[in-house]
């Protein structure tokens, strides 16, 4: 017992000695750092005054300060930035679902503006802008060297005015120009429809309306199908969804989970971490779910895909998502401005971060680019498609009743509709085929 006590005392004593030896240097280092910060602030003041006094043109002091603040924030990561009073007001409007612009979510990569995703039904989407496109020029002026906010400002303008952006796209040999007419962007957060016996929930963004739109739309489609028993499953389409509000991503995930963690966030201080859990209740009532993602699925949409994938509640289909695994907090500032600051990383229920990696689909399915030549070839091949029933004098099938023949014809019509969908949207058709397969494997209720 004495040896244990002595060892403990010795450890405590050693700790005291070590503390005594290092307090002096630590205080000195902290003092030096503080002095260095003040020296740099003095340097900033000197530069600020020289610009005001000697720059070739007169500049606004407020604009200089805003630029300095924005430069400080944008140097941290692509998602931290300063929001002027006008930008802060625009952001508040956007989260409510209506704003003016082109309809694209952008980030910055290698000095150029990169399209995260075009928003459904917007001028950018209608003009053919795709996720992954690089915007190099706006109305002939290069965006290289500009901050993201400066480049976005170049793309803003009056509703109804034309903008010409120069696009570099993978697979295209040369840059090309795209003309877009600016418009008021009215976001429909969730579009729903029945595709055969599957309910398709197309979630385009995560704003204040997302969960309410999803809940209402799903209920409408289930009623149109004649009840949940007539629904094979749900396709949750998150392709080209740039994200949005964290709380909405949590609510959408919770809509299909009965229990368990949805997402956790971890900040600089371990005490600042949060964990969000599902509550009982599943809007889909246990029906199978397929989640569709692609390279334009980012942030909040990755939270939903990751949560449903980790809980094995859904099969994720498509291509790797964007990989934005950080959380930004918008903090109001004096003068009605605000700053968007990255304050945490988020993690899926299994504890994985998708930062820069993205969510990997369970089944990789790329969306093929359909060419006019391939369409013509297929039409030509269909001309010569024949069956036994087309032959002159072929025998009738006398083993089927009229009702059975009608059922076969109805099934054939469904199959032809599915084939047509594959031409229109191959990934969605693939997702619906998976639902059909999962439904076929379920035990009969008879």
């Amino acid at each position: 017992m004495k040896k244990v006590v002595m060892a403990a005392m010795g450890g405590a004593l050693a700790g005291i000695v070590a503390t005594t030896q290092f307090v002096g240097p630590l205080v000195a280092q902290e003092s030096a750092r503080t002095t260095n910060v003040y020296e740099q602030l003095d340097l900033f003041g000197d530069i600020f005054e020289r610009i005001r006094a000697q720059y070739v043109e007169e500049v606004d002091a407020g604009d200089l300060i805003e630029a300095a603040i924005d430069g400080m924030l944008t140097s941290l990561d692509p998602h931290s930035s300063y929001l002027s009073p006008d930008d802060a007001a625009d952001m508040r409007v956007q989260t409510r679902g209506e704003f003016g612009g082109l309809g694209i979510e952008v980030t910055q990569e290698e000095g150029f503006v990169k399209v995260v995703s075009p928003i459904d039904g917007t001028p950018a989407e209608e003009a053919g802008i795709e996720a992954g496109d690089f915007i190099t020029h706006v109305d002939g002026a290069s965006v290289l060297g500009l901050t993201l906010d400066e480049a976005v400002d170049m793309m803003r303008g009056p509703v109804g005015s034309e903008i010409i952006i120069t696009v570099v796209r993978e697979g295209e040999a040369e840059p090309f120009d795209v003309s877009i007419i600016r418009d008021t962007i009215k976001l429909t957060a969730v579009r729903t429809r029945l595709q055969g016996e599957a309910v398709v929930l197309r979630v385009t963004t995560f704003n204040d309306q997302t969960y309410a739109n999803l809940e209402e739309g799903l209920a409408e489609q289930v009623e149109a199908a004649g009840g949940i028993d007539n629904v094979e499953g749900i396709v949750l389409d998150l392709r080209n969804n740039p994200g949005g509000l964290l709380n909405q991503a949590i609510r959408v995930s919770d809509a299909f989970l009965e229990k368990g963690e949805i997402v956790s966030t971890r900040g600089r201080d371990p005490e600042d971490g949060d964990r969000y859990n599902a509550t009982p209740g599943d809007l889909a009532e246990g029906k199978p779910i397929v989640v569709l993602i692609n390279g334009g699925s980012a942030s909040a949409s990755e939270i939903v895909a990751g949560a449903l994938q980790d809980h094995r509640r859904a099969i994720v289909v498509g291509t790797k998502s964007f990989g934005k695994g950080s959380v930004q907090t918008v903090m109001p500032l004096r003068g009605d401005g605000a700053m968007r600051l990255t304050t945490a990383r988020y993690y899926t229920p299994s504890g994985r971060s998708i930062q820069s990696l993205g969510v990997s689909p369970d089944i990789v399915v790329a969306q093929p680019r359909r060419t006019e030549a391939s369409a013509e070839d297929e039409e030509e091949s269909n001309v010569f498609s024949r069956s036994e029933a087309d032959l002159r004098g072929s025998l009738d099938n006398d083993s089927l009743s009229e009702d059975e023949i009608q059922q076969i014809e109805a099934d054939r019509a469904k199959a032809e509709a599915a084939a047509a969908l594959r031409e229109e949207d191959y990934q969605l058709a693939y997702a619906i085929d998976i639902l059909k397969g999962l439904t076929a494997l379920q035990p009969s209720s008879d």
Side-chain angles (χ1 to χ4, degrees), residues 115-127:
V115 177
V116 175
S117 64
I119 300 169
D120 284 1
T122 62
E125 192 259 348
E126 292 170 0

Side-chain angles (χ1 to χ4, degrees), residues 246-284:
L246 174 63
N247 68 330
Q248 290 292 312
I250 292 168
R251 294 192 71 187
V252 169
S253 303
D254 193 7
F256 304 110
L257 294 173
E258 292 278 5
K259 60 181 180 179
E261 181 182 308
I262 294 172
V263 66
S264 62
T265 62
R266 304 175 201 171
R268 181 174 174 179
D269 187 339
E271 295 182 359
D272 292 336
D274 285 306
R275 193 179 303 273
Y276 302 91
N277 295 313
T279 55
D282 177 2
L283 292 183

Side-chain angles (χ1 to χ4, degrees), residues 155-344:
M155 289 186 276
R156 288 179 177 153
V159 170
S161 62
E162 182 186 27
I163 179 175
I164 296 176
I165 60 175
T166 304
V167 172
V168 172
R169 178 176 295 166
E170 184 179 356
E172 298 287 342
E174 298 290 338
F176 57 93
D177 291 339
V178 178
S179 173
I180 306 176
I181 304 300
R182 298 180 178 94
D183 199 0
T184 299
I185 310 301
K186 295 181 179 179
L187 295 182
T188 302
V190 184
R191 294 186 177 93
T192 63
R193 75 176 196 266
L194 273 176
Q195 186 71 45
E197 285 80 35
V199 175
V200 179
L201 303 174
R202 172 76 180 111
V203 183
T204 60
T205 188
F206 287 87
N207 62 24
D208 288 337
Q209 309 302 318
T210 301
Y211 176 77
N213 288 171
L214 182 140
E215 183 180 32
E216 181 181 357
L218 176 57
E220 289 176 355
Q221 299 306 326
V222 168
E223 183 179 356
I228 194 69
D229 291 339
N230 296 325
V231 173
E232 286 182 340
I234 292 172
V235 176
L236 185 61
D237 188 352
L238 301 177
R239 291 174 297 175
N240 293 329
N241 182 322
L245 301 177
L246 174 63
N247 68 330
Q248 290 292 312
I250 292 168
R251 294 192 71 187
V252 169
S253 303
D254 193 7
F256 304 110
L257 294 173
E258 292 278 5
K259 60 181 180 179
E261 181 182 308
I262 294 172
V263 66
S264 62
T265 62
R266 304 175 201 171
R268 181 174 174 179
D269 187 339
E271 295 182 359
D272 292 336
D274 285 306
R275 193 179 303 273
Y276 302 91
N277 295 313
T279 55
D282 177 2
L283 292 183
E285 298 186 25
K287 291 289 182 177
I289 299 174
V290 174
V291 176
L292 278 176
I293 61 171
N294 65 4
S297 307
S299 191
S301 55
E302 293 174 294
I303 288 175
V304 175
L308 297 182
Q309 184 182 55
D310 281 2
H311 283 288
R312 300 181 181 273
R313 180 63 186 91
I315 296 174
V316 179
V317 172
T319 55
K320 183 174 73 69
S321 64
F322 185 74
K324 180 182 177 294
S326 58
V327 178
Q328 284 68 47
T329 302
V330 178
M331 306 173 183
L333 300 173
R334 287 176 291 181
D336 295 328
M339 71 174 179
R340 185 191 292 113
L341 187 66
T342 300
T343 53

